[in-house]
Structure formats: structure tokens, C-alpha cells
Amino acid sequence: MILEKINNSSDIKALSNEEVVRLCGELRRFLVDRVSKTGGHLASNLGVVELTVAIHRVFDTTEDRLVFDVGHQCYVHKALTGRSGLFDTLRQFQGLSGFPKPYESKSDAFIAGHASNSVSVALGMARARSLAKDHYHVLALTGDGALTGGLSFEGLNDAGASHEPMIVILNDNGMSIDPNVGAMSRHLSALRTSRGYDEFKRCYRKALKQSAVGRKVYAAGHDVKRALKSSLIPKSSFFEAMGFHYMGPVNGHDVAALTETLQWAKEQDGPVLVHVYTIKGKGYRFAEQEPERFHGVEPFDVATGALKKAPSPSFSSIFGETLTDLARENKKICAISAAMAGGTGLNEFAKLFPRRFFDVGISEGHAVAMAAGMAKQGGIPVFAVYSSFLQRGFDMLLHDVALSGLHVVFGVDRAGLVGADGETHHGCFDPIYLSLIPGMTVLCPASFSEMRSMLRYAVEDATGPVAVRYPRGGEGDYQGCCGKEAATVLRQGKDCTIVSYGVLINEALAAAEMLSQKGISVRVVKLNRIAPLQIEDMQEALDSTEQLLVLEDCVQSGCVGERLTALMVQSGIGPKHLVLKNCGDRFIPQGSVAQLNHALGLDAAGVACAVEEMLHEC
């Protein structure tokens, strides 16, 4: 295999054109085989095989800086930079990350897990290079889905005016996770159908460069080319008006054409935008037919495309079902998605109520502000969003929603530890930043039954902004429903009290049972609401608590445990001994949720051990 001999850009540059084509075929088979075993982002990586190979034929990523947008399409890049042998550990605990990580390789220029920032980051690198009088090249590889985010346009606006030599490669496949929406998607579609200029340019360049006179004519024909381009692709002036030299659209599955175009771009003295059109899932029939399903996929059977493990009900699916039921009863209810309709369980809602479903693309800040406008005019907007992505709407949460006390409901999906996507995707910050917001109510269902009842309360009865936060995946052994009280005692005990919320309550109950076998009596208190946190709502549940352990899967600074114990001390019922079990003040790596809970001491065994240590010190 050619791939086995590839470790860096120099190895790719040494290949013949025929070998490069064979390499692309090997890469596709390699990706399908490995991802079918580990799960991961398949369709997006199949779509950038030739593009990534062409980048490595023209540039040296150990010196030149290649900045990915989102980064989930970096698998080919990793395989070409000495990491193909690590793909059996892809997205596994202590294994190969599914996103660019500089600690893995010098070829990974920047950590990337969220969308729309690549142009800004690349421009910063380009300016630092120019100030240092260095000469490496800087590239931003962004997707058309990322252009639905406003940050992309902030970066493009500044980069175009900067005159800095840098290259923005726009990978245009009409998709992000779900199909792209909005005016920019329509604009790029129009460009993809206007390929006449690209074909003319090839013939023009080939004909004139065959002679010395022709080469002079070619060099002098800039104005003629611009006029022809304007007539054949008038809409490309959008990027050119921003200050970019626009090249394309180029067939993203033609390595020779891509290599030639990138070489042209490399020779330009200023910002260049290379528009590449690709097919998401290219080369694997099932991924081409269902690119949304194969965007981020669990292990599957290569021959049939079927998942090896049938999907089971999840908090996301229960959220979607419940919201759909509520929308049948109340026509004011609308659902908002930031390019995550499928992931947040809203596909059925979108199908049944298309006029009340709004996919705004990868633009969480806009989604929050739009929801505020809808609420101000009497609507009931429900924004379903991953916890780590809602971070980008924090200013709008404060300024547009909370300041006016507007009733906007947030379905905060993927709360807590999410597993294989790692640091950039864990939902370990929302308990802190949501609780900071005046007037915000934060509910934490620990079962499907509570998911249904809390979402109904949030939509129908609550006032002001409300967040219902819930984890990825399904419920545990606890399947009760605690109603509307702020806190509930699930188990009585006299030696120690464990307080937790969400699905971690399962670990707290299991720890209490383990300790009971050793003669240690443990009270387990479940918080159903972590904001507002008011001691009078929990005083009875926490009465006579001298040994307290607070269990949660978020970072420590500003966590619920800190706020709760401060309130207890202020009320004169503070514990004599306290243990805060959480993620600490650090970013948590990838791994299964069970593995991470164990490593952090958040599982039943770790909690039981911490309780024994605390009681031993007493």
C-alpha cells in the first residue's frame, strides 16, 4: 500500500500522478474500514480526500500553517502525517483525537472543534508571520456550513482588507451536518453551476503559455481576465469585493486541477479564496446517499451501512417527542436549531410544523437573539442546542434575553461529559455560565419521565428564560419523577449526605448502596433545579448535614457545590466536612463517559472511596 509509506508532505510530493490517484482510493477504503470500527466523522472526510492530498502536494504542513474549521474533516490529514497506524484508537480514551491537536503533531496548527473561526485564526497567524518577517504560508480550510456563522464574515472582512498573503479554501458541499440553509448557501450553489469561466481559464492559460509571446500576453491580460470572469461568474465579485482574489469553482475530486489551482494561489501576493466543490461521503455509497447520518456515525457494517448497535431512546429523542406533543397543543411554540435538527431530536417537529421550525445554520448567537425577538412579540421559542455550542451565544443570553426577562426556553443537549469528541465538546461549563444570568431557571432531569415533565413546565408554566439541561444518551437505573420541588431526598442516611443532579444521581445512589454494605448510612439528595439556588427550598433536605459530598460533571470554579455550600454557611447550616467531586479546573480529554467518570472519580466507586476518606478524617 502507498499509504503505509506516507508520513509527511515530502512523501506525497515524491509520488507520480498515477500513484496519487491510487493513494486517494486507498485513503477512502482506509477511512471506511477504520471508522466502521471506532465510529467518527466519515462523510465529511470522504469528501476531502483529494483536496487534502493536493494541499500536501503543494504545501509543507510542518512549516506552513493549515487551520481547519471545526476540524472534524482532518482524518485524511492525520493519516498523511504519520498517524495512520493510530486509527484503531480513533476517538478512544488516550487514543488519536478526531480533531486537530498540536500535541499530536507539528502538522496540526491549531485546536479546532467549533465552527467559523478559521479565517480569523489564520489571519492572526499571517499577521504574526509578517511582523516576524517569516515566509511560511497560511491556509484556512473552511466549509460552506461555517459561512452560516457570523464570525466567518468578520474574519473574511478583515482578511480581505489586510493585503496579507493567505489562502482561504472554501470546501463547498452544500452541507454542514444537516443541509445548509440561507442566502450564502444559495449564492454558492449559483457559483457551482457557473463553471464556464473555470474551463475557459484552463484553455486560455494552456494555449498562451506554449510560447514566449503567449506568456507575455497571459501576464498582461489581467484586466481582460477580470472582465471575462465578471461576465461568466458575476456573483464571484462578492468575495472579490471583500478584497480576495477568487479562484474557482474547482472540482474537489480532481487532484491535478486542485494541485494546479493551489500552486497558483501559493504564488499570489495577497488574500486568495479558492472555491472547491466536493461531494460529502464521496466514494462510499451509503455515505453519499445519507451524508447526514454518516456525518458523525457509530460503528457500522461496511457491507450494508447499518449500525452495529440499533439506536435506543435518548434524552434528545424524548425532548423532540415531547416538544412536538406540546406544539400540537399550542400554536405559539416554535423550535429553533443551529444546524443540528437531527442531533437534537427535532426532525419530526420540522416535518410536522415546517412553518414553526427555524434552522438558522451554525449561528448560535443569532439564534438566541432571534428567539428573544420572537418571545418579545408573544411567541414561545424553544432553542435546542448543544451545551458547548451555546457558549457562543452568551452575550445574547445576557443582553437580549435575560435583560428583558423574556420567556425563551433552551434545550441544552449534550450537557456534562459527552465522550469521544473530547475537550471541545464536553458540556462542562453551562452549570456555571447559565447560573450567572439573573432570572435564569436551570432544570436538570435525571430520567425520561423528568425530561417530559420539566420541559412541559419550562414551556407552559415558567416565566423568564429557562434552560433544561440533559446529557447525551439514555437514562440510567433511576427512572423516577420528582415533580417540581427544587430538591428531593431519594435515600435517607445519617453518616453523610451526597448531593447531585442529572444522570450522575445514578452514581450517587450506587455509591450509597456500596457504602451501606460497609455499614455506612448515606443520605442522597437530588437537585432538580440548580438555578435559582435558594437555601430555603432545600433546607429540609439538607438539615443536619455535617459531612457533605457534592457530585457533578462540570468544572469546579463557580460550580453548584461551591454555591450550595456558601449558601449553607450563610444560613448557619454549613457542613463541618466538605468534598467537591467534579471535573476540576481543567479541560477533559476524550473517552467514553464511563471511562472519564472513573478517571475523574465521579463513578460510584470513586464517590464511595471519597466518602470513606472523608469519614475517616472526621
Side-chain angles (χ1 to χ4, degrees):
M1 284 182 63
I2 297 174
L3 179 57
E4 293 176 349
K5 303 173 184 177
I6 301 297
N7 291 294
N8 51 51
S9 299
S10 297
D11 293 335
I12 301 169
K13 290 178 173 69
L15 298 176
S16 67
N17 291 339
E18 181 183 348
E19 287 174 322
V20 166
V21 173
R22 285 170 52 198
L23 174 63
C24 291
E26 289 181 10
L27 281 164
R28 281 204 167 82
R29 292 189 292 274
F30 173 84
L31 288 172
V32 172
D33 176 67
R34 295 302 191 275
V35 177
S36 72
K37 295 179 174 68
T38 63
H41 293 94
L42 180 61
S44 53
N45 283 285
L46 291 173
V48 297
V49 169
E50 289 84 2
L51 175 57
T52 309
V53 170
I55 289 171
H56 282 275
R57 292 194 83 188
V58 177
F59 300 94
D60 177 3
T61 57
T62 62
E63 299 296 334
D64 299 320
R65 302 287 74 192
L66 172 61
V67 181
F68 286 89
D69 212 301
V70 180
H72 60 267
Q73 75 277 43
C74 72
Y75 293 10
V76 182
H77 166 74
K78 291 198 173 194
L80 296 175
T81 51
R83 287 170 278 180
S84 60
L86 299 175
F87 267 72
D88 287 339
T89 69
L90 178 67
R91 303 171 80 244
Q92 309 300 305
F93 186 57
Q94 298 182 335
L96 184 68
S97 173
F99 295 89
K101 294 294 166 64
Y103 64 75
E104 284 185 0
S105 170
K106 188 178 179 181
S107 287
D108 289 7
F110 200 80
I111 292 176
H114 293 178
S116 307
N117 67 332
S118 65
V119 178
S120 300
V121 171
L123 177 58
M125 290 181 170
R127 283 177 162 153
R129 171 206 58 201
S130 296
L131 289 170
K133 297 183 180 180
D134 288 327
H135 301 286
Y136 54 84
H137 298 276
V138 178
L139 302 87
L141 176 54
T142 189
D144 51 333
L147 291 189
T148 60
L151 183 59
S152 285
F153 291 94
E154 295 179 28
L156 288 169
N157 181 59
D158 193 15
S162 71
H163 304 295
E164 284 287 350
M166 62 178 288
I167 301 169
V168 176
I169 303 172
L170 173 56
N171 174 30
D172 175 10
N173 58 25
M175 299 284 294
S176 44
I177 295 176
D178 294 330
N180 286 330
V181 296
M184 178 52 65
S185 177
R186 292 193 294 271
H187 172 74
L188 295 176
S189 178
L191 289 180
R192 285 196 300 273
T193 60
S194 302
R195 299 173 190 168
Y197 171 73
D198 194 47
E199 295 303 316
F200 168 82
K201 184 171 62 176
R202 289 180 186 283
C203 297
Y204 174 79
R205 186 174 190 266
K206 184 177 180 181
L208 291 185
K209 288 208 168 184
Q210 290 177 353
S211 68
V213 174
R215 286 191 289 271
K216 290 181 180 179
V217 172
Y218 181 83
H222 179 74
D223 292 339
V224 175
K225 288 186 289 180
R226 183 179 291 276
L228 284 166
K229 187 173 191 176
S230 180
S231 64
L232 290 170
I233 317 182
K235 293 187 179 183
S236 70
S237 61
F238 172 83
F239 296 110
E240 293 189 329
M242 298 185 82
F244 285 87
H245 179 71
Y246 174 87
M247 294 181 177
V250 185
N251 182 351
H253 303 297
D254 183 336
V255 178
L258 286 166
T259 302
E260 183 180 25
T261 303
L262 290 174
Q263 188 62 50
W264 297 345
K266 184 178 180 180
E267 296 167 2
Q268 303 302 309
D269 185 23
V272 180
L273 188 137
V274 179
H275 181 187
V276 178
Y277 59 92
T278 62
I279 298 172
K280 195 169 185 179
K282 174 74 172 178
Y284 182 55
R285 177 166 59 94
F286 300 109
E288 287 191 38
Q289 292 171 345
E290 298 182 272
E292 301 99 323
R293 185 165 75 85
F294 282 89
H295 172 81
V297 68
E298 298 297 322
F300 62 94
D301 180 77
V302 174
T304 65
L307 295 178
K308 291 181 178 178
K309 182 180 179 181
S312 54
S314 66
F315 278 93
S316 302
S317 65
I318 299 300
F319 170 86
E321 292 170 10
T322 305
L323 187 62
T324 300
D325 290 340
L326 291 170
R328 288 190 179 98
E329 303 168 12
N330 190 336
K331 293 182 178 180
K332 291 184 177 182
I333 295 172
C334 298
I336 301 170
S337 171
M340 292 285 181
T344 56
L346 290 178
N347 280 344
E348 186 66 15
F349 187 106
K351 178 181 177 181
L352 293 176
F353 308 110
R355 295 188 69 249
R356 289 193 273 157
F357 173 75
F358 305 95
D359 187 343
V360 300
I362 305 176
S363 50
E364 292 82 4
H366 162 61
V368 176
M370 187 185 78
M374 296 177 76
K376 188 67 172 67
Q377 296 307 113
I380 305 177
V382 180
F383 180 25
V385 57
Y386 291 5
S387 169
S388 68
F389 297 160
L390 181 58
Q391 293 162 186
R392 295 186 287 186
F394 183 70
D395 179 63
M396 295 78 190
L397 281 167
L398 282 170
H399 182 271
D400 300 318
V401 176
L403 192 60
S404 297
L406 297 172
H407 183 215
V408 177
V409 177
F410 298 90
V412 185
D413 204 323
R414 269 66 168 178
L417 299 171
V418 300
D421 285 336
E423 300 97 319
T424 54
H425 285 66
H426 290 310
C428 296
F429 295 93
D430 69 87
I432 292 91
Y433 72 76
L434 289 176
S435 298
L436 291 174
I437 299 173
M440 174 70 77
T441 299
V442 183
L443 306 174
C444 304
S447 67
F448 291 165
S449 179
E450 288 183 351
M451 176 82 249
R452 295 184 183 95
S453 65
M454 288 184 181
L455 181 57
R456 179 172 289 275
Y457 168 78
V459 171
E460 294 183 341
D461 301 324
T463 58
V466 188
V468 182
R469 67 181 307 271
Y470 44 95
R472 182 180 190 178
E475 61 185 351
D477 291 336
Y478 172 78
Q479 297 178 10
C481 187
C482 291
K484 298 178 183 179
E485 61 267 28
T488 306
V489 178
L490 297 183
R491 182 178 179 130
Q492 292 289 353
K494 57 183 176 59
D495 296 324
C496 176
T497 298
I498 300 176
V499 174
S500 191
Y501 54 91
V503 291
L504 271 185
I505 201 68
N506 291 285
E507 304 296 341
L509 289 167
E513 182 60 30
M514 292 170 63
L515 291 165
S516 72
Q517 303 303 315
K518 299 182 177 182
I520 300 173
S521 174
V522 177
R523 176 195 301 169
V524 177
V525 177
K526 177 181 177 298
L527 300 182
N528 306 312
R529 186 187 73 209
I530 60 172
L533 204 59
Q534 298 169 327
I535 195 65
E536 55 267 25
D537 295 331
M538 298 173 283
Q539 194 151 1
E540 183 176 346
L542 296 172
D543 186 46
S544 302
T545 296
E546 295 192 349
Q547 281 68 242
L548 174 66
L549 183 147
V550 184
L551 175 65
E552 46 189 326
D553 51 0
C554 68
V555 295
Q556 179 156 314
S557 294
C559 68
V560 173
E562 287 187 350
R563 293 189 291 120
L564 177 62
T565 50
L567 288 171
M568 292 175 69
V569 170
Q570 289 173 352
S571 300
I573 59 170
K576 291 181 179 178
H577 299 91
L578 169 69
V579 173
L580 299 182
K581 293 292 288 181
N582 49 55
C583 298
D585 289 323
R586 54 185 161 175
F587 292 100
I588 307 303
Q590 68 196 35
S592 71
V593 173
Q595 287 172 323
L596 296 175
N597 278 339
H598 181 70
L600 294 167
L602 304 182
D603 61 355
V607 172
C609 182
V611 168
E612 288 190 86
E613 289 179 359
M614 177 172 59
L615 294 177
H616 178 71
E617 293 173 359
C618 294

